[in-house]
Amino acid sequence: MTQAAQAHDLKLTKNQHLVLSVLESSRQPLSAYSILDRLRGHGLKAPLQVYRALEKLLEAGRVHRLESMNAFVVCCHSRHGQIHPRITAFEICESCGKVNEFHDEKVESALIQHARSSGFKIRASAIEVHGLCADCH
Amino acid sequence: MTQAAQAHDLKLTKNQHLVLSVLESSRQPLSAYSILDRLRGHGLKAPLQVYRALEKLLEAGRVHRLESMNAFVVCCHSRHGQIHPRITAFEICESCGKVNEFHDEKVESALIQHARSSGFKIRASAIEVHGLCADCH
DNA sequence: AATGGAAAGTTATGTAATAACATTATTGAA
DNA sequence: TTCAATAATGTTATTACATAACTTTCCATT
Ligand SMILES: [Zn+2]
Ligand SMILES: [Zn+2]
Ligand SMILES: [Zn+2]
Ligand SMILES: [Zn+2]
């Protein structure tokens, strides 16, 4: 991700703002189509309008995609303009749907060390743990 | 996963055997539909035939699903009947498509430790690292 | 042979994502 | 300001991924 893409003061377009607002007001990850459903009242009609906004929000580091759910969540650093840690992981509650984004130095160094030892060059990662959150068990 | 499900001498049905054979003979992960395409000559016609076989093979621990690719790979322990490690991770080459399944004690303990500290109870995990393998960079 | 459960077959449908192309809005020189 | 380049939108259609619902076949056990 470029430094420019990390600048959170970048102005969002109308559709990008709409999509981000829906994600911010949700306590669970949302699929592109359920985002669309919530925005039909605001003039959005086609999946592509949502997918294009999501693409930009992903590039800007303001949302994350959960690969194992085909769903999207707002990044917990989205509002602060800080540098985003490299390796991101998620704990996803199968009961209440809550997602905990976290950045664990040990997870990161273990993956980096393994990659180094196997000659693998990391470009991206998806680390998603499913189970029950503290409230739900 | 039950102990029974780990018993690799369990007899596979015709469709399960066909699907597993296709995955074993592929050097890359395959989507359900591309598995189906390779099995049309053997009488398979519908996606469900493949998905049902995959479901059983997943339960039996003989294949893994790559969440970030909507694709499936044969488990590297598939032939040996050994107990499968709890936490599995994958390095996926974006150039040649090769997948390296690995089990890293440090990754595992870091995730378990984080879950403990946040009160999260792990049931399943998807750890998928994308990049370039040693041969490709 | 009768029976019950697992697997397989079949058709239809639901969900996720992108292709292709036309239009409008923004930006940034000349 | 004017105009060309770029970015964003709108729209329709299509492709890719996955499951629902129901029927039939297979096979082991009684
Ligand atoms: Zn984040
Ligand atoms: Zn919960
Ligand atoms: Zn495995
Ligand atoms: Zn490679």
Side-chain angles (χ1 to χ4, degrees):
Chain A
M1 186 184 308
T2 68
Q3 194 61 23
Q6 288 258 349
H8 290 170
D9 48 359
L10 244 60
K11 207 163 171 186
L12 298 179
T13 66
K14 173 175 143 270
N15 286 358
Q16 289 160 20
H17 176 75
L18 286 171
V19 169
L20 185 60
S21 298
V22 167
L23 284 175
E24 279 171 345
S25 66
S26 171
R27 297 205 314 290
Q28 299 180 10
L30 297 175
S31 74
Y33 278 73
S34 69
I35 293 170
L36 176 58
D37 286 340
R38 295 170 193 222
L39 289 176
R40 289 193 193 279
H42 292 74
L44 270 70
K45 290 172 185 165
L48 247 193
Q49 296 175 295
V50 173
Y51 280 108
R52 286 202 275 233
L54 284 170
E55 182 183 13
K56 295 302 177 185
L57 293 169
L58 287 166
E59 283 172 10
R62 306 208 56 171
V63 306
H64 294 288
R65 176 183 159 79
L66 298 178
E67 300 291 345
S68 58
M69 298 182 72
N70 295 333
F72 302 83
V73 283
V74 61
C75 172
C76 62
H77 306 95
S78 186
R79 299 196 156 287
H80 308 109
Q82 61 221 105
I83 301 291
H84 199 287
R86 175 143 181 247
I87 300 274
T88 302
F90 302 91
E91 287 167 345
I92 301 163
C93 179
E94 290 169 335
S95 171
C96 69
K98 244 189 333 187
V99 173
N100 177 33
E101 175 180 350
F102 65 98
H103 305 85
D104 187 282
E105 206 279 321
K106 285 180 182 162
V107 172
E108 172 162 348
S109 62
L111 285 173
I112 289 174
Q113 190 177 328
H114 185 279
R116 181 157 31 230
S117 78
S118 67
F120 191 89
K121 180 169 177 51
I122 297 178
R123 203 199 48 78
S125 64
I127 304 166
E128 300 172 17
V129 180
H130 292 256
L132 295 176
C133 77
D135 294 340
C136 289
H137 80 96
Chain B
M1 187 182 307
T2 68
Q3 194 61 22
Q6 288 259 347
H8 290 171
D9 48 358
L10 243 59
K11 208 165 171 183
L12 299 179
T13 67
K14 174 174 144 272
N15 286 358
Q16 290 160 19
H17 176 73
L18 286 171
V19 169
L20 185 60
S21 298
V22 167
L23 285 174
E24 279 170 345
S25 66
S26 171
R27 296 205 315 289
Q28 299 180 10
L30 297 175
S31 74
Y33 276 73
S34 71
I35 293 170
L36 175 59
D37 286 339
R38 295 171 194 222
L39 289 176
R40 290 194 192 278
H42 292 75
L44 271 69
K45 290 172 185 165
L48 209 46
Q49 296 175 293
V50 174
Y51 280 108
R52 286 203 275 233
L54 284 171
E55 182 183 13
K56 296 300 178 188
L57 293 169
L58 286 167
E59 282 172 11
R62 307 208 56 169
V63 305
H64 294 288
R65 177 183 159 82
L66 299 177
E67 299 291 345
S68 59
M69 297 181 73
N70 295 334
F72 302 84
V73 281
V74 62
C75 171
C76 63
H77 306 96
S78 186
R79 299 197 156 285
H80 309 107
Q82 62 221 108
I83 300 291
H84 198 286
R86 175 141 181 250
I87 300 274
T88 303
F90 302 91
E91 286 167 345
I92 302 163
C93 180
E94 290 169 335
S95 172
C96 68
K98 243 188 332 187
V99 172
N100 177 33
E101 175 181 350
F102 66 98
H103 306 85
D104 187 281
E105 206 278 321
K106 286 179 181 164
V107 172
E108 172 163 347
S109 63
L111 285 173
I112 289 174
Q113 190 177 326
H114 185 279
R116 181 156 30 229
S117 79
S118 67
F120 191 89
K121 181 168 176 52
I122 298 178
R123 203 200 47 79
S125 65
I127 303 166
E128 301 172 16
V129 180
H130 292 257
L132 295 176
C133 77
D135 293 341
C136 289
H137 80 96

